[in-house]
Amino acid sequence: MLIKNPPSWQIPEREATPEHVFLNRRHFLGAMAGGATSLIGGSAFAAKKKTPDPTADLYPAKRNEAFELDRPLTKESDASSYNNFYEFGSHKRIAMEARKLKIRPWTVSFEGMVEQERQVDIDTLIRAMPLQERLYRMRCVEAWSMVVPWSGFPLKELVKLANPQMSAKYIQMQTFNDPEMGPGLKQFWYPWPYTEGLTMAEAMNDLSFMVTGVYGKPAAAQFGAPLRLAVPWKYGFKGVKSIVRISFVNKRPKTFWENIQASEYGFWANVNPEVDHPRWSQASERTLLGDRVPTQMFNGYGEQVADLYK
Ligand code: MTE
């Protein structure tokens, strides 16, 4: 039996999710209930077969001291057991289910307005990049936050490698869309694949970071292995996980959450304590340690990014 004991900082699922999505999801969970035993059996089997990550030797990456923070790090056990990854289900205790994610072989394609479209093997990509560790605050739109030691490389390095045309205005990133691997993808009412985007100026900002590792080792599946975005001045839903496709386009991409509810989860999604979510205040946040702290404009990264929005 599953015993649910939600921590103090957790918003009830009904409040955090647009109502029509919540109701559809309940329906789906009901239909899936009969298959639960075999799903759990499958996860355990996948766990047994787990092979070491081929890039494990690159970690821990050297910490970039420019990104030291005043706040304590979130405990790894907390950050890795409270995740959003709808491809595996629409609850937060997703780590076990996410073990179905098969991260090798994995390729990332560069498409759209690039000099040449191509596919890159993830290990070749990671080994070609200057890996470093950065401590970033992460503020979810649901008003909880954490501090995570991400490892990875600046997004601008990946942009250089992709070689987009000068006229490209936006970068769009998408997650895998294979329902055999991510059973949540069978929930037809979501606008799969998970899609996010940035302007090219945002993508070239030094804070935009491609994550390949967390807590000094290759990223665990639930964090969005093997490649995920971190843009710490924006709400957490911009941090698209398990990326397979990167496109350069001249029209603003329609993002996953914007498709679901544009008035609540818009394209820009810059952290702003003065603009409340229609259903709750954004003035403060609960850290995963349980403290309530005031939310900062741009999540405290205004010095680095405020100029982008003048
Ligand atoms: N990326 C994909 N592909 N699928 C998702 O469900 N959830 C987003 C974002 N990236 C999500 C995703 C949301 S809502 C948040 S808050 C963060 O991932 C959560 O990241 P974390 O689980 O590492 O805390």
Side-chain angles (χ1 to χ4, degrees), residues 27-41:
H27 176 73
F28 176 78
L29 289 177
M32 290 290 285
T37 321
S38 57
L39 284 179
I40 291 163

Side-chain angles (χ1 to χ4, degrees), residues 79 82-87 138 140 144 146 150 175 194 222-223 228 236-242 257:
Y82 189 74
N83 304 94
N84 279 326
F85 206 163
Y86 280 64
E87 285 80 349
M138 201 281 232
C140 180
W144 53 268
M146 57 183 185
W150 301 120
T175 301
Y194 198 100
Q222 65 270 31
F223 286 113
R228 172 255 173 94
F237 65 84
K238 296 293 289 184
V240 45
K241 296 180 170 184
S242 303
W257 284 105

Side-chain angles (χ1 to χ4, degrees), residues 78-90 92 94 138-142 144 146 148 150 174-176 185 192-196 214 222-224 228-229 235-243 256-257 265 288:
D78 287 339
S80 58
S81 59
Y82 189 74
N83 304 94
N84 279 326
F85 206 163
Y86 280 64
E87 285 80 349
F88 294 97
S90 32
K92 299 264 187 307
I94 212 72
M138 201 281 232
R139 168 64 155 84
C140 180
V141 72
E142 297 164 357
W144 53 268
M146 57 183 185
V148 187
W150 301 120
Q174 290 177 314
T175 301
F176 71 91
L185 292 161
W192 309 113
Y194 198 100
T195 300
E196 260 308 337
V214 198
Q222 65 270 31
F223 286 113
R228 172 255 173 94
L229 175 68
Y235 290 118
F237 65 84
K238 296 293 289 184
V240 45
K241 296 180 170 184
S242 303
I243 297 165
F256 180 81
W257 284 105
Y265 312 106
L288 292 199

Side-chain angles (χ1 to χ4, degrees), residues 104-122:
R104 295 294 187 287
W106 190 277
T107 50
V108 181
S109 62
F110 299 143
E111 299 182 11
M113 301 171 72
V114 284
E115 292 308 329
Q116 194 177 6
E117 294 198 323
R118 61 193 168 119
Q119 296 210 326
V120 188
D121 167 66
I122 189 71

